[in-house]
């Protein structure tokens, strides 16, 4: 990696024009810190190409000058992947001007979009043609298609539709030397060798810049029933998934879990939210069944399933949304959790996954161990229980200082990751590694897997100019 010379900045400016290169400190500043304010870096300039050709030119110029690039979309990532390091010698490449929907074809059930298109705009374009693009995240109003691909994002629809990897048909990528790989096919079947798109999905920008993607569409599901339920324990949430599937099969499109402590934060910090029941419960679930217009009586299915759940003691209270507004307010209780943690001071995030049946034992074990490490530490447990994915986040004990809490971060996270590892889980279910979990990856990922990942990185980016320092712990 070389320092960025004035000559390089001048050539980038002549390639991109004045709107394409930001260097004034006030213009650059918002790109140097992540959404939470948890990761900060420095950069001399922000590059804002307006199309694939411009991305290719920028990458080639930087490659020839030995300058490293950090791709950035909506900057909503949760592990520092989109933020440059503190050297000031990396440049941020923002895809924010590449917002074109190139094609939306309901007959082919596909949509082809540029990397800077915001997720909500893709959902809307699909809806405008009577289709569904099912990826759904709390950050969908800001995160971009490039970002959700580079992190292989998940969210609340994974149970039925899969993660971003499962929703992708083809990619267009600018490689680290500036060449463009046009893999933008919409084919459902193509067995002509290695499926290269999967290298770039989830690579967090370390192998190339995604400039466009062809994505799958699904039938719209205007029929939806939504319920908020109370449960005595995590084991009930696991049993509920099986029960819901027995009754509703593939109509089950969301099954989310929240602890009382997570709900408390939303009620305290998210304007307009309300206590869902008269009394407090230990655990809550948000479930949704959905279907195209003509099929299935979802109300009756839900009623029968909930009846069985009450009989078996899995559910102790329930409210079914009676209107779109009520549905929205139930979802606000779930989607507000991530943001509601911020006013409580630093939050230690652990985005873990486990075999679904082991979730109750994990919650019991991790809770016991953490109480030994830091008595009173607040466990903000919630997540996509149907995918075995918990956001097992920690906030400081009431009355503790931020500094005292952060000083224990290594020990606390280590205790959680040890429990995850003992139970054959993963230390990142959906947010990725970035810089935040890079050292944990060294400890908890198989060394053979890390060697293979380094070999892929060397093959595609031998000069280490694509988002250096992210994902891979130094050998
Ligand atoms: P950025 O944050 O800008 O970048 C993320 C990573 O992708 C970085 O490593 C960056 O270098 C790389 N990158 C970005 N664009 C490109 C590109 N074009 N080519 C190559 N690399 C690129 N995540 C989930 O999985 N599930 C959730 O439910 C979820 N909910 C969230 C809720 C909230 C309130 C917030 C703030 C975040 C949530 N996230 C969730 C995390 C986040 O939104 C996702 O990680 C999202 O995928 C990031 O998209 P972005 O455009 O903001 O990417
Ligand atoms: C969610 O499911 C997101 O709400 C964010 O993945 C989780 O902020 C978090 O830890
Ligand atoms: Zn999540």
């Amino acid at each position: 990696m070389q320092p960025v010379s004035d000559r390089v900045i001048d050539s980038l400016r002549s390639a991109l024009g004045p709107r394409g290169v930001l260097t004034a400190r006030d213009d650059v500043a918002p790109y140097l810190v992540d959404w939470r304010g948890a990761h900060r870096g420095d950069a001399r300039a922000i590059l804002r190409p307006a199309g694939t050709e411009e991305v290719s030119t920028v990458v080639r110029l930087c490659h020839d000058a030995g300058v490293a690039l950090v791709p950035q979309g909506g900057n909503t990532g949760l592990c520092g992947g989109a933020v440059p390091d503190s050297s000031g010698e990396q440049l941020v490449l923002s895809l924010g001007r590449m917002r074109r929907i190139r094609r939306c074809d309901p007959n082919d059930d596909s949509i082809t979009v540029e990397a800077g298109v915001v997720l909500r705009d893709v959902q809307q374009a699909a809806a405008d043609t009577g289709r569904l693009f099912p990826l759904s995240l709390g950050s969908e109003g800001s995160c971009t298609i490039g970002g959700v691909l580079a992190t292989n994002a998940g969210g609340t629809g994974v149970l039925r539709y899969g993660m971003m990897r499962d929703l992708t048909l083809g990619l267009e990528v600018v490689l680290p030397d500036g060449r463009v790989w046009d893999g933008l096919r919409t084919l459902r079947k193509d067995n002509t060798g290695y499926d290269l798109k999967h290298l770039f999905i989830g690579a967090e920008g370390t192998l190339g810049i995604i400039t466009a993607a062809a994505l799958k569409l699904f039938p719209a599901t205007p029929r939806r029933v939504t319920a908020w339920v109370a449960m005595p324990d995590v084991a009930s949430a696991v049993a509920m998934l099986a029960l819901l599937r027995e009754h509703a099969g593939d109509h089950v499109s969301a099954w989310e879990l929240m602890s009382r402590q997570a709900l408390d934060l939303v009620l305290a910090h998210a304007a307009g939210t309300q206590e869902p029941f008269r009394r407090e419960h230990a655990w809550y679930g948000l479930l949704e069944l959905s279907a195209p217009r003509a099929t299935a009586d979802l109300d009756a299915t839900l009623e029968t399933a909930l009846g069985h759940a009450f009989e078996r003691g899995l559910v102790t209270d329930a409210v079914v949304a009676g209107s779109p507004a009520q549905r929205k307010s139930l979802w606000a209780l779930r989607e507000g959790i991530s943001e509601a943690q911020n006013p409580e001071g630093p939050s230690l995030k652990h985005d873990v996954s486990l075999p679904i049946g082991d979730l109750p034992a994990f919650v019991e074990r991790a809770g016991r161990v953490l109480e030994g490490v830091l008595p009173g530490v607040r466990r903000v447990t919630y997540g996509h229980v149907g995918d075995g994915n918990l956001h097992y986040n920690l906030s400081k004990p009431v009355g503790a200082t931020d500094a005292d809490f952060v000083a224990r971060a290594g020990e606390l996270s280590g205790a959680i990751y040890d429990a995850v590892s003992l139970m054959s889980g993963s230390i990142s279910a959906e947010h990725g590694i970035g810089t935040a979990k890079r050292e944990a990856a060294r400890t908890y990922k198989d060394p053979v897997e890390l060697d293979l990942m380094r070999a892929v990185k060397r093959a595609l980016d031998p000069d280490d100019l694509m988002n250096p320092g992210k994902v891979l712990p130094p050998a």
Side-chain angles (χ1 to χ4, degrees):
M1 197 165 74
Q2 299 293 321
V4 192
S5 66
D6 291 345
R7 194 179 52 78
V8 171
I9 297 287
D10 288 345
S11 349
L12 290 164
R13 201 170 267 124
S14 36
L16 300 182
R19 279 188 68 206
V21 183
L22 308 178
T23 49
R25 289 322 281 171
D26 284 355
D27 295 339
V28 167
Y31 297 85
L32 304 181
V33 57
D34 71 329
W35 173 81
R36 284 198 293 155
H39 302 274
R40 274 171 207 282
D42 197 8
R44 203 176 147 189
I46 312 300
L47 310 177
R48 300 173 69 242
T52 304
E53 273 308 303
E54 287 193 359
V55 176
S56 164
T57 307
V58 162
V59 173
R60 183 166 286 121
L61 280 169
C62 289
H63 173 262
D64 294 350
V67 170
L69 289 169
V70 180
Q72 191 177 102
N75 205 6
T76 67
L78 295 171
C79 39
V83 175
D85 70 11
S86 56
S87 68
E89 289 172 3
Q90 303 180 335
L91 298 180
V92 173
L93 192 157
S94 164
L95 282 296
R97 286 173 75 203
M98 293 186 57
R99 293 192 173 206
R100 216 158 49 88
I101 294 185
R102 292 190 188 166
R103 183 162 169 255
C104 183
D105 184 349
N107 293 322
D108 190 37
D109 269 330
S110 72
I111 185 166
T112 302
V113 302
E114 291 185 342
V117 179
V118 169
L119 173 55
R120 185 170 288 153
D121 295 340
V122 177
Q123 295 166 341
Q124 188 57 51
D128 291 345
T129 57
R131 294 292 185 274
L132 172 75
F133 182 65
L135 193 81
S136 180
L137 319 177
S139 55
E140 64 199 21
S142 312
C143 67
T144 62
I145 288 304
V148 294
L149 281 161
T151 58
N152 185 28
T156 54
V158 172
L159 185 62
R160 170 128 162 231
Y161 298 100
M163 296 184 68
M164 200 50 195
R165 193 181 291 289
D166 304 299
L167 302 175
T168 306
L169 294 166
L171 290 185
E172 178 187 87
V173 179
V174 172
L175 301 171
D177 59 7
R179 282 179 299 160
V180 180
W181 171 50
D182 180 2
L184 213 47
R185 295 177 280 268
T186 62
L187 302 174
R188 308 283 157 158
K189 289 183 155 183
D190 179 11
N191 274 347
T192 52
Y194 305 143
D195 196 340
L196 296 175
K197 63 179 176 289
H198 290 301
L199 280 181
F200 300 97
I201 301 172
E204 301 181 49
T206 59
L207 300 178
I209 315 280
I210 298 168
T211 47
L215 306 172
K216 289 181 194 170
L217 298 180
F218 296 82
T221 53
R223 291 281 305 114
R224 273 167 199 222
V225 292
T226 309
W228 181 274
V229 301
M231 296 174 293
D233 48 30
V234 180
S236 299
V238 172
M240 264 302 274
L241 176 64
L243 185 146
L244 287 171
R245 281 197 162 133
E246 255 166 52
H247 288 271
D250 278 351
H251 294 309
V252 184
S253 47
W255 179 226
E256 297 285 311
L257 176 75
M258 280 96 6
S259 63
R260 177 68 211 183
Q261 219 145 24
L263 181 64
D264 276 341
L265 296 190
V266 180
L267 295 174
H269 300 298
T273 51
Q274 277 176 6
E275 184 76 57
F277 300 123
R278 279 215 187 91
R279 69 176 190 84
E280 295 185 5
H281 299 267
W283 294 93
Y284 300 92
L286 179 59
L287 74 89
E288 197 153 273
L289 310 181
S290 61
R293 201 178 305 278
T295 50
D297 183 349
L298 296 185
D299 298 295
T301 308
L302 179 65
E303 203 182 312
T304 313
L306 284 180
H308 286 281
F310 273 107
E311 263 167 38
R312 287 172 54 189
L314 303 178
V315 160
T316 51
D317 209 342
V319 55
V320 178
S323 66
Q326 210 181 351
R327 170 178 182 265
K328 210 168 152 203
S329 58
L330 293 181
W331 271 105
L333 294 175
R334 163 63 183 90
E335 287 185 334
I337 304 174
S338 186
E339 217 160 337
Q341 277 174 263
N342 295 348
E344 296 287 323
S347 160
L348 300 184
K349 289 188 180 288
H350 307 96
D351 156 42
V352 304
S353 64
L354 292 127
I356 297 176
D358 291 341
L359 289 174
F362 168 78
V363 169
E364 192 280 319
R365 181 198 292 243
R368 189 165 24 85
V369 173
L370 287 174
E371 209 36 47
V373 177
L374 183 61
V377 66
R378 284 178 293 163
R379 303 187 298 273
V380 185
T381 310
Y382 63 105
H384 319 287
V385 63
D387 313 325
N389 174 189
L390 287 184
H391 299 306
Y392 196 80
N393 297 346
L394 304 181
S395 291
K396 65 186 176 192
V398 175
T401 65
D402 288 359
D404 284 348
F405 177 55
V406 170
R408 309 294 298 276
E411 250 177 294
L412 291 163
S413 297
I416 293 172
Y417 292 151
D418 284 348
V420 167
S421 175
L422 271 170
M423 299 177 84
S424 308
S426 167
I427 61 162
S428 178
E430 56 175 17
H431 299 157
I433 299 291
T435 47
K437 284 172 249 167
R438 206 180 49 172
E439 286 311 310
R442 187 200 298 285
T443 312
Y444 297 100
K445 261 187 100 70
D446 179 334
V448 175
E449 221 169 320
L450 283 176
D451 275 354
L452 289 173
M453 283 167 59
R454 288 193 186 101
V456 172
K457 172 76 172 168
R458 275 195 303 274
L460 270 78
D461 182 22
D463 301 320
D464 195 19
L465 296 177
M466 283 290 134
N467 218 358
K470 309 292 165 52
V471 182
L472 286 165

